Amino acid sequence: MFNKFKSLFSKAEAGQDKEDDEQDDLSPFENPNFITLPEKIVTLLSEIEQSSPLCTVQIEGTTQEYNSSILGIKPEKNLIILDELAPKEGNQALESTRSLKLLTFHKGIHLSFNLSEIEMGHSRGISYYKAALPDRIFYPQRRRSPRIEISSIDIAFTGLSERTKVSVSGYLFDLSRGGAGIDLAVNRARVQRGDIIKNCQISFEDYEMDFDFAVRFVKPISLNSSKVQIGGFFENLSSKSQSKLSYFITSLERVEIRKQKN
């Protein structure tokens, strides 16, 4: 369903350090870490769309960070299409300000850009946002905060599709403080975008984390394979789980940083 939704638009981790913030205030002429050529911006955003990472969204006037993803790029109309925000309170804040800052990782490199004059749209009961493509992207060509290769850790995922009542199981390939990406050997539960997977569980550092999972994308790994990838947001996380998860991700980041220094 994710691919179908994206076709409607004509193929449609969080936290930035102080140094990044200071550089972000500079003009593109003063800072070589900005991409400003339109064709390079389109290429970079298209690559991010294809990899379907969860993105962090910051909205001025709020202290909460939200999650979204890039649904599509329409260079011929100078448009970028974003998924609705989670938690859902972010949508109200965005409708008020109509501007945001989006942060994500690409090839292990932190990037961010601003969008303004954002408009909401609806298609087949699904909400989305559209805005003009950014005129610059902060993208330093070095690894500030390395992406964690969760697939090498073998974190198992289990849950139950609320819609089909069929169990869902797989292994995480991506993890953030707001959500995860999961490899499924076969999509027996017929998981599709917009589904809720209930009674989910993952285990790390001898801690079992219980949650519900809101599915934001579903895509096949290849044309000739039954394997699929799903991604989405955590829901109904306890405060203890939020704390444990944040600590776990921070510890993984520190390990990767030490590896790079050696």
Side-chain angles (χ1 to χ4, degrees), residues 45 97 118 130 152 155 174 179 203 220 260 262:
L45 294 180
T97 64
I118 298 170
K130 59 182 179 180
S152 65
I155 297 179
D174 194 8
S203 179
Q260 288 195 350
N262 293 334

Side-chain angles (χ1 to χ4, degrees), residues 57-215:
V57 169
Q58 297 175 346
I59 300 175
E60 187 175 356
T62 69
T63 57
Q64 172 79 42
E65 290 187 335
Y66 306 97
N67 293 296
S68 183
S69 59
I70 298 175
L71 293 177
I73 306 298
K74 297 182 68 175
E76 71 281 2
K77 293 186 177 181
N78 192 40
L79 286 178
I80 180 173
I81 311 297
L82 298 182
D83 196 2
E84 57 189 345
L85 307 189
K88 61 184 179 180
E89 290 78 13
N91 298 298
Q92 297 174 344
L94 182 55
E95 289 173 24
S96 175
T97 64
R98 297 183 60 201
S99 63
L100 59 77
K101 183 173 187 175
L102 185 144
L103 308 94
T104 190
F105 290 88
H106 182 59
K107 297 179 180 178
I109 301 173
H110 171 268
L111 65 85
S112 63
F113 57 86
N114 297 314
L115 297 176
S116 60
E117 298 184 7
I118 298 170
E119 298 180 2
M120 174 178 271
H122 302 277
S123 177
R124 299 180 182 178
I126 299 175
S127 299
Y128 62 90
Y129 295 101
K130 59 182 179 180
L133 290 169
D135 56 9
R136 63 176 186 169
I137 298 178
F138 178 72
Y139 189 51
Q141 301 298 303
R142 61 187 182 277
R143 295 175 183 267
R144 288 183 179 275
S145 182
R147 189 180 183 88
I148 307 301
E149 292 295 334
I150 295 298
S151 58
S152 65
I153 304 178
D154 287 338
I155 297 179
F157 169 93
T158 60
L160 183 71
S161 169
E162 183 177 55
R163 181 174 56 84
T164 64
K165 311 303 181 186
V166 176
S167 62
V168 181
S169 61
Y171 288 88
L172 270 61
F173 68 85
D174 194 8
L175 179 66
S176 73
R177 291 168 176 83
I182 305 155
D183 285 326
L184 305 181
V186 61
N187 191 6
R188 291 191 181 91
R190 305 189 303 280
V191 176
Q192 60 188 32
R193 186 180 186 277
D195 280 358
I196 301 295
I197 303 177
K198 305 289 287 186
N199 304 321
C200 302
Q201 189 173 82
I202 61 174
S203 179
F204 53 87
E205 294 186 332
D206 298 323
Y207 179 74
E208 293 185 349
M209 189 175 90
D210 299 311
F211 56 95
D212 295 333
F213 192 73
V215 179

